[in-house]
Amino acid sequence: MIHENLLETLGMTPVVRLRKLLPHPQDRIYVKLEGANPSGSIKDRAALYMLEQAEQAGLLRPGATLVESTSGNLGKSLALIGAIKGYRVILVVDPKTPRSVLAYATSLGAELDTVITPDANGSYQTTRLHRVHRLVQEIPGAYTLDQYDNPHNPEAYRLHTAQEIVKDFDRLSALVATVSTGGHLSGLGSALKEHFPALHVQAVDAVGSAAFGYPFTPYRMRGIGLSWRPGNLHPGPIDSLHRVTDTEALSACRVLAAEEGLLLGESGGAAVFSALGYAAANPGEPILAIAPDTGANYLYETYDDQWLRDHGISPDTLCHNGEDLLRHVHHPLHPPAPVDAGPVPASGTSQITTGGQA
Ligand SMILES: Cc1ncc(COP(=O)(O)O)c(C=O)c1O
């Protein structure tokens, strides 16, 4: 198929059924591989849609500067979009940003601005956002998409990704999706519940994340979780919350790679770990887990034993095979629970100065 540019290849990502890693032989667990998007993650969808909406609203002049805080994937998306559309891109990153992500972004011409000081809770997210706001004030014509509060973030998934899923499935019992800004969970959850009224929506967050109001503590996974409550996390469609630990997600990543040939990012590992638990309690039900990015982003981290040791995770503590992982799935460290997400903040990013996380 011939395309005018790479962005036209966005979407229509494959869904793959797990074949070996199943709590029961009749289980139907499906994984949507968002790493198949052009820059390797789910964020291509939100980034392009938010940007096009800003263009249509006349907020972006040709050659404008995009400034964004990113744990990796939004940065890759913007680097690609900037290269194709002719925008200058400045990415505010931190020492947790994977090496391959930085190399990808700079290869496409993006500039990096690295914050090195974590906030009082040990997170870099609020420090990065403060830096973005400063750069936007200092650089003439600079613009930030504000993925945490921008309603076009969940809208992108509602309008596009959800329609792909509806085409692929006649029936769906559960959607299992991770949270950072809340964009894809909120957009997919609300749209899919309209189509599959009995759908159970299970949110997956990192143990240590404050997105659902728990106190923030540092964790290793990237992409998933946040140190405050984002405005785009809409509690309405969410039925349960599963808080997954680093070792649970990393174990799932490694077993999925070795036994299913699926090389997923850490949040994809967390989503599948959680979906396996849901399947264990609901045999044979069709369950869809969203894998936000490819494990190619983390080859030198998650998939590297030495990196894990250097960062305080002994590879010996991870599950080594499917049997081991499935045993663990029956006894997760934090079993899923009904969610009480509390009131949605009027502006999620405003929480960074008031929410006690900054
Ligand atoms: C790898 C990864 N997983 C999960 C998420 C969470 O997605 P959302 O921001 O839509 O909640 C992100 C967002 O950046 C991500 O990069």
Side-chain angles (χ1 to χ4, degrees):
M1 192 182 275
I2 296 173
H3 297 280
E4 290 299 319
N5 66 56
L6 195 57
L7 297 176
E8 289 184 1
T9 67
L10 192 154
M12 299 306 292
T13 48
V15 174
V16 173
R17 183 175 175 180
L18 298 189
R19 286 294 170 186
K20 296 185 207 148
L21 197 57
L22 303 171
H24 318 93
Q26 74 270 34
D27 283 336
R28 289 180 288 161
I29 305 170
Y30 300 90
V31 186
K32 191 161 172 68
L33 302 176
E34 287 295 299
N37 281 307
S39 84
S41 92
I42 197 163
K43 282 286 160 178
D44 285 348
R45 299 182 186 260
L48 186 61
Y49 188 71
M50 287 189 287
L51 199 100
E52 285 174 348
Q53 295 303 308
E55 284 174 335
Q56 280 169 28
L59 298 171
L60 279 172
R61 298 232 172 80
T65 301
L66 303 171
V67 185
E68 206 60 52
S69 156
T70 178
S71 62
N73 283 321
L74 184 65
K76 286 179 75 178
S77 301
L78 288 179
L80 178 63
I81 295 169
I84 291 172
K85 284 178 169 272
Y87 293 116
R88 178 184 178 204
V89 175
I90 301 176
L91 302 176
V92 180
V93 296
D94 64 52
K96 264 181 90 177
T97 314
R99 216 173 93 193
S100 63
V101 169
L102 301 178
Y104 177 96
T106 50
S107 300
L108 287 166
E111 298 159 49
L112 303 179
D113 186 296
T114 308
V115 301
I116 50 167
T117 316
D119 62 25
N121 291 310
S123 165
Y124 293 99
Q125 287 160 332
T126 53
T127 325
R128 284 199 322 245
L129 265 181
H130 289 304
R131 178 77 184 143
V132 166
H133 292 149
R134 230 182 80 202
L135 288 173
V136 168
Q137 278 165 3
E138 284 172 8
I139 301 170
Y143 184 79
T144 182
L145 294 172
D146 184 15
Q147 58 169 339
Y148 306 99
D149 287 312
N150 187 332
H152 299 307
N153 172 4
E155 183 85 353
Y157 302 104
R158 218 187 130 72
L159 290 179
H160 302 296
T161 325
Q163 307 318 315
E164 293 172 22
I165 295 170
V166 164
K167 273 195 207 127
D168 282 339
F169 290 91
D170 292 333
R171 199 168 87 75
L172 202 53
S173 258
L175 169 76
V176 182
T178 52
V179 166
S180 176
T181 66
H184 75 273
L185 178 70
S186 298
L188 293 180
S190 65
L192 292 178
K193 277 201 163 181
E194 284 166 18
H195 195 82
F196 304 108
L199 183 77
H200 182 100
V201 174
Q202 183 147 294
V204 180
D205 198 4
V207 169
S209 159
F212 284 88
Y214 290 87
F216 182 86
T217 50
Y219 50 91
R220 289 279 169 223
M221 288 182 274
R222 276 141 305 187
I224 184 174
L226 203 62
S227 60
W228 69 92
R229 286 275 316 280
N232 275 330
L233 178 56
H234 305 159
I238 304 174
D239 297 296
S240 54
L241 167 65
H242 188 177
R243 299 167 62 235
V244 171
T245 64
D246 285 333
T247 52
E248 289 170 331
L250 294 175
S251 292
C253 281
R254 292 189 152 212
V255 173
L256 280 163
E259 301 196 9
E260 296 273 358
L262 291 177
L263 188 67
L264 306 183
E266 296 149 350
S267 61
V272 174
F273 180 82
S274 181
L276 288 170
Y278 191 88
N282 299 274
E285 290 297 316
I287 299 164
L288 177 66
I290 307 293
D293 70 349
T294 162
N297 281 342
Y298 313 97
L299 289 177
Y300 305 106
E301 288 99 2
T302 314
Y303 290 96
D304 180 48
D305 282 357
Q306 192 52 50
W307 185 92
L308 289 179
R309 280 189 210 99
D310 292 348
H311 290 79
I313 299 175
S314 163
D316 298 337
T317 60
L318 303 179
C319 299
H320 292 296
N321 54 45
E323 232 173 279
D324 202 6
L325 184 71
L326 288 174
R327 256 195 312 274
H328 191 85
V329 154
H330 288 278
H331 307 285
L333 285 165
H334 299 271
V339 64
D340 175 18
V344 182
S347 163
T349 45
S350 69
Q351 300 286 299
I352 65 171
T353 50
T354 58
Q357 310 300 341

